[in-house]
DNA sequence: AGCAACATGTAACGAGTTACATGATTTA
DNA sequence: TAAATCATGTAACTCGTTACATGTTGCT
């Protein structure tokens, strides 16, 4: 039931409507952590309201309803954040490809790994200035901007994958002397 | 349709039965890349056979059927491995928690991050000897053992997350002077 | 003989995606 | 006034999980 906890976590930052929460999933959370569209979010918010974890906070123009966390919602969020299971499964197509690299001909494997390395470099060059801009605006003592820790995570992630791809190319290159020289 | 490609990739290593493939998902692939139980795997193999991507290779004792890749299966696997979409979504509860760290009180956030750091260290100490044993057995020129690249990826991943958790603790610590020191 | 492991399958359920459906408000 | 965006909802489909169901082989 991670969708529920994602919503609780996002609402901890302040009241939001189903529409706002749907937009949040269009960003980094949706890419790196969890996915959901509005068609799942609205019914889930309704269930959470029924369970007393959120309440309708305000009603706005176009039938807009903003939800806010209740104390129960906060408690449940905290419980979930702190007791995470050791065995959490990850679903990641890129990692799946990594597991299967050795099913390719060496030449194809090299092409794939070179693609991964290039892609990571591009993402790093994309993320780094964003993080640096965040840091430039930030004064010591202020709370970190929402997502700053996650952004740093993404940056380090790409750096790690980049390093891995280069290491793998070296390994594969050693096994196949018809290489790049 | 990643389950299909996971099965194609596993079968590229040699013919296997539904039972064997189910066992494969109990290991690292299931933890870090993709999940499936036998109840999805058997019907999927049947569909793949219908689509001509695999064929029943041998029948053994207890109704055991081993499947082997056809040329079409190989072609489809290669296609999928090489054209991966830029926008591949990842589903990962741990990363979700990272995105939501800032919804916690600073004291709880520190506890969570310390837990993550400790967990990563434990995983690193678990994985490193396995990888080193693989390398000790490996002679230059031999193909790398199946999963060696993925294992290295896992190791580097944990190192990156460990570094991230320490960095985050430092950042959070600076914002909250009632710290450890 | 009994138990663990091998081996395959179906059914019900849960949750995310895509498509269908509708309407209000803001902006050009 | 037309288009984009805001805003909410339901229905059908896909696919992974859990539970139900059954039978065989090998080992002790």
């Amino acid at each position: 039931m991670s969708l529920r906890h994602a919503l609780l976590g996002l609402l901890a930052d302040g009241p939001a409507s189903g529409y706002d929460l749907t937009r949040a999933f269009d960003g980094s959370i949706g890419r790196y952590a969890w996915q959901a569209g509005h068609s799942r979010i609205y019914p889930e918010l309704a269930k959470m309201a029924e369970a007393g974890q959120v309440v309708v906070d305000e009603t706005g123009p176009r039938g807009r309803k903003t939800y806010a966390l209740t104390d129960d919602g906060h408690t449940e969020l905290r419980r979930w954040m702190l007791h995470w299971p050791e065995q959490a499964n990850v679903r990641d197509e890129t990692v799946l490809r990594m597991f299967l690299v050795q099913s390719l001909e060496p030449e194809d494997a090299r092409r794939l790994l070179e693609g991964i390395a290039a892609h990571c470099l591009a993402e790093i060059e994309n993320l780094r200035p964003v993080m640096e801009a965040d840091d430039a605006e930030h004064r010591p003592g202020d709370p970190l901007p929402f997502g700053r820790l996650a952004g740093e995570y993404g940056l380090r992630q790409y750096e790690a994958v980049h390093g891995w791809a280069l290491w793998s190319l070296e390994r594969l290159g050693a096994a196949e002397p018809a290489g790049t020289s």
Side-chain angles (χ1 to χ4, degrees), chain A:
Chain A
M1 267 223 287
S2 287
L3 172 58
R4 175 160 306 194
H5 297 105
L7 296 173
L8 290 170
L10 289 168
L11 288 172
D13 201 39
S17 67
Y19 188 84
D20 297 334
L21 293 165
T22 302
R23 289 286 83 80
F25 278 91
D26 289 340
S28 305
I29 287 189
R31 183 144 181 215
Y32 300 116
W34 209 263
Q35 295 84 44
H38 76 272
S39 64
R40 274 288 303 151
I41 291 169
Y42 289 119
E44 189 64 28
L45 284 168
K47 274 195 193 171
M48 289 160 76
E50 206 185 332
Q53 294 173 341
V54 297
V55 284
V56 175
D57 182 52
E58 276 183 10
T59 50
R62 294 155 270 239
R64 176 186 168 93
K65 284 180 284 186
T66 57
Y67 290 87
L69 281 193
T70 61
D71 286 349
D72 276 9
H74 255 115
T75 304
E76 174 54 20
L77 172 61
R78 183 169 181 273
R79 189 200 60 72
W80 180 80
M81 286 291 284
L82 296 178
H83 320 312
W84 47 299
E86 292 297 292
Q87 174 61 306
N89 291 328
V90 175
R91 204 171 298 174
D92 187 330
E93 275 197 20
T94 304
V95 176
L96 181 55
R97 283 180 174 82
M98 290 177 184
F99 271 95
L100 304 178
V101 165
Q102 285 157 93
S103 72
L104 290 174
E105 303 291 317
E107 197 187 327
D108 285 339
R110 258 199 298 279
R111 241 211 285 172
L112 175 63
L113 291 167
E114 279 161 10
I116 291 175
H119 175 246
C120 287
L121 267 188
E123 292 281 359
I124 290 166
E125 276 160 29
N126 193 33
L127 263 174
R128 211 192 308 268
V130 177
M131 297 297 109
E132 278 167 4
D134 268 6
D135 290 344
E137 283 179 36
H138 180 259
R139 294 163 180 229
D142 283 358
L144 288 171
F146 189 80
R148 178 64 184 87
L149 298 188
E152 182 71 20
Y153 169 82
L155 196 58
R156 286 166 183 255
Q157 188 81 342
Y158 280 119
E159 284 167 349
V161 177
H162 182 250
W164 170 85
L166 297 183
W167 177 92
S168 298
L169 277 166
E170 226 176 86
R171 276 300 183 101
L172 251 51
E176 179 71 359
T180 38
S181 120

